[in-house]
Amino acid sequence: MLNVDLHCHSNVSDGALRPAEVAARARANGVDVWALTDHDEIDGIREARETARALGMRHVTGVEISVTWAAQTIHIVGLQFDESNRDLQQGLINTRSGRERRAHEMAAQLAEAGIPDAFEGALKHVGNPDLISRTHFARYIVELGVCKDISEVFRNFLVEGRPGFVPHRWATLKDAVSWIRGAGGIAVVAHPGRYGFDDVALDAFLAEFKRYGGVGIEVVTGSHTVDEYARFAVVARNYGLLASRGSDFHAPGESHTELGALPPLPPSVVPVWHDWRM
Ligand code: AMP
Ligand code: MN
Ligand code: MN
Ligand code: MN
């Protein structure tokens, strides 16, 4: 069976490794088909593709777009698009554009909470100045010894109701799906178990996602429990969505899961790669 990993990050967004290092790590872990899906960025794709090819691994273009839907942040993974598409490129530039100002506001809040110089501290972990993310702040807070790991940071800081949380307006669901489709790609809901949707909210969201032309949903991801693999396999079947698998790997020793190490998709679903030539 093919080992497919269609969700992970490099230091072009909030991962810790260069795209080539992520590719090599995926290959070493036995991945056959691989997509780098940096947040709101496709700058790592060229290096990812070249390295994957050199290592004999099938490469798929990828991105993870930040979306605001019903006042909530949702992530949409795009796969198999043409990265030279201008509308997609411009859409991603616009989506990234508020991050630096947001980061300054986050740092101001953290300073009031007794964590000084967080903007500069986070920046030391940033590989791409256009993409300062909460993860970079989290790494700095761990480095200071204020929290023991990233999970502890995201329980005490950077989330709603805690210091360092700055609400942000990302792309619309319609735009994100349209950019991906317009570039010839397919849109996939990232880690649906992370949004706290009950069945009613999930139904409203998926109806709209499908209306815009979304076709896939992650079932096996590093963000899901084993129970959620089963829940979202049923959802994929009931909604006629293709199922995806991805580790959401960010950094060695930091992520929940390692590249290529998750269980396979349940046999009841149709994989997003079912009709890919490989
Ligand atoms: P941002 O796009 O700046 O809002 O940052 C979002 C990123 O923060 C996600 O892509 C994750 O990498 C990270 N993140 C959010 N919540 C958690 C969490 N509970 N544990 C670990 N990482 C998290
Ligand atoms: Mn991330
Ligand atoms: Mn995500
Ligand atoms: Mn991700």
Side-chain angles (χ1 to χ4, degrees):
M1 189 184 289
L2 284 176
N3 188 336
V4 183
D5 193 327
L6 300 175
H7 188 150
C8 63
H9 300 274
S10 75
N11 67 355
V12 170
S13 66
D14 62 348
L17 305 179
R18 294 179 50 84
E21 294 172 320
V22 184
R25 196 175 177 98
R27 194 61 181 140
N29 287 351
V31 172
D32 302 299
V33 183
W34 174 67
L36 176 69
T37 55
D38 276 313
H39 297 284
D40 308 320
E41 256 292 10
I42 53 179
D43 245 24
I45 286 180
R46 179 195 297 258
E47 183 178 316
R49 179 189 292 117
E50 281 172 7
T51 314
R53 280 191 182 156
L55 296 169
M57 184 164 61
R58 160 88 192 247
H59 171 264
V60 176
T61 51
V63 67
E64 181 177 19
I65 304 181
S66 311
V67 159
T68 301
W69 183 84
Q72 201 172 341
T73 298
I74 304 280
H75 288 171
I76 300 294
V77 164
L79 298 171
Q80 275 219 320
F81 49 81
D82 169 10
E83 78 265 28
S84 69
N85 182 276
R86 288 300 162 90
D87 289 341
L88 172 68
Q89 290 177 349
Q90 190 58 51
L92 295 177
I93 289 171
N94 295 346
T95 306
R96 291 194 293 270
S97 67
R99 279 188 179 268
E100 184 171 349
R101 201 173 66 189
R102 169 189 187 235
H104 281 293
E105 288 176 32
M106 288 165 62
Q109 278 191 28
L110 290 170
E112 276 184 36
I115 299 176
D117 305 323
F119 183 84
E120 296 73 17
L123 211 53
K124 282 189 293 171
H125 294 273
V126 167
N128 170 3
D130 283 350
L131 215 120
I132 312 180
S133 107
R134 285 186 290 159
T135 309
H136 302 116
F137 283 88
R139 291 191 183 125
Y140 172 64
I141 292 168
V142 171
E143 183 187 300
L144 288 180
V146 173
C147 292
K148 71 175 192 314
D149 58 26
I150 299 275
S151 301
E152 189 181 324
V153 176
F154 279 101
R155 283 194 299 273
N156 296 289
F157 300 96
L158 311 177
V159 291
E160 195 155 3
R162 300 288 181 172
F165 179 74
V166 176
H168 196 72
R169 274 272 294 284
W170 303 108
T172 66
L173 180 62
K174 185 179 186 182
D175 281 348
V177 175
S178 303
W179 298 332
I180 295 164
R181 290 187 71 207
I186 61 172
V188 176
V189 180
H191 41 64
R194 282 244 301 253
Y195 310 127
F197 284 149
D198 60 18
D199 288 347
V200 174
L202 183 66
D203 184 71
F205 171 72
L206 290 179
E208 200 171 320
F209 174 69
K210 288 187 67 171
R211 186 141 41 83
Y212 299 142
V215 295
I217 190 166
E218 287 184 346
V219 169
V220 173
T221 136
S223 301
H224 282 176
T225 62
V226 172
D227 286 349
E228 286 171 328
Y229 299 163
R231 177 186 175 204
F232 289 104
V234 172
V235 167
R237 227 176 29 236
N238 288 349
Y239 284 84
L241 291 165
L242 301 172
S244 193
R245 172 183 189 259
S247 57
D248 209 353
F249 174 83
H250 280 73
E254 180 181 292
S255 296
H256 308 286
T257 48
E258 190 48 72
L259 287 150
L262 291 170
L265 287 176
S268 57
V269 299
V270 181
V272 290
W273 58 89
H274 75 106
D275 61 350
W276 296 356
R277 272 194 297 131
M278 21 194 202

